[in-house]
Amino acid sequence: GVGRARLGRPGRFVMRLSGLLASIAAILAVTLLPWSNFVGHSHWGQVQWLPFYGRRLDWFDMAANVALFVPLGYFAGGFSSARLRMNRTLWVLLGATLLSTSVELMQVYSHRRFPSATDICCNVAGAALGLMLAAGRFMILRDINLAVAKSSRRKPNPPIDAQDDIR
């Protein structure tokens, strides 16, 4: 057919996995580098325990934290299996929470990083936004495919990723 070639199931899996691993690597690089900031003692007094409370809220920092985790939610949302279909959102958000909390706990040992519960909330919100974008993409592809099939009055082809991703 005319248009872009469809990737087979293994190709889509490799692309999703590559995107997921790249997003995790980017999160770790942005939040933990340079390593020279890390010292052998903790700074528990710098932790902002209550989200959206305390020192002046930095809207740019919050938006950056949301944006940083959008790719994670998007690529993780592309994976599905029979066992995880119903709980995919829960698993992705739990994974984002664990990754974000781990990063914030590592920042306790940094002179130049300031761990906060606000960052964790914004990171999880970013992963949720990524999940919504992934779900919306697959719904749009399904709707376009159905509209094209209806206009040509032929039996519709299964939408791209319909069997793997819409659930």
Side-chain angles (χ1 to χ4, degrees):
V2 178
R4 79 181 172 148
R6 286 189 183 181
L7 291 174
R9 184 179 278 255
R12 288 193 305 261
F13 175 80
V14 169
M15 285 184 60
R16 288 183 195 127
L17 183 61
S18 298
L20 181 62
L21 294 176
S23 65
I24 291 171
I27 288 168
L28 294 175
V30 168
T31 57
L32 297 177
L33 292 178
W35 290 108
S36 60
N37 289 336
F38 288 87
V39 293
H41 58 277
S42 62
H43 300 95
W44 289 105
Q46 297 290 335
V47 177
Q48 183 182 349
W49 296 101
L50 299 174
F52 309 104
Y53 179 80
R55 65 175 188 224
R56 191 176 65 104
L57 294 177
D58 183 352
W59 295 102
F60 177 80
D61 186 51
M62 289 191 303
N65 276 302
V66 169
L68 185 61
F69 273 68
V70 168
L72 176 85
Y74 183 83
F75 288 112
F79 290 99
S80 69
S81 78
R83 283 184 246 162
L84 294 179
R85 263 185 220 136
M86 296 302 290
N87 296 319
R88 178 178 47 189
T89 301
L90 177 67
W91 283 110
V92 171
L93 295 181
L94 179 63
T97 302
L98 291 173
L99 178 61
S100 180
T101 302
S102 298
V103 165
E104 295 300 314
L105 287 174
M106 286 187 262
Q107 288 179 359
V108 168
Y109 292 91
S110 172
H111 279 303
R112 294 201 168 94
R113 300 288 184 162
F114 303 100
S116 75
T118 301
D119 291 350
I120 295 170
C121 292
C122 290
N123 293 341
V124 173
L129 180 59
L131 275 169
M132 288 187 281
L133 290 173
R137 174 182 166 254
F138 298 122
M139 290 167 63
I140 289 169
L141 288 173
R142 180 198 65 203
D143 293 346
I144 289 171
N145 194 21
L146 292 174
V148 168
K150 188 176 184 180
S151 68
S152 66
R153 297 182 189 264
R154 61 181 173 87
K155 185 177 178 182
N157 293 327
I160 298 172
D161 294 341
Q163 301 302 317
D164 296 333
D165 301 307
I166 292 179
R167 297 177 183 101

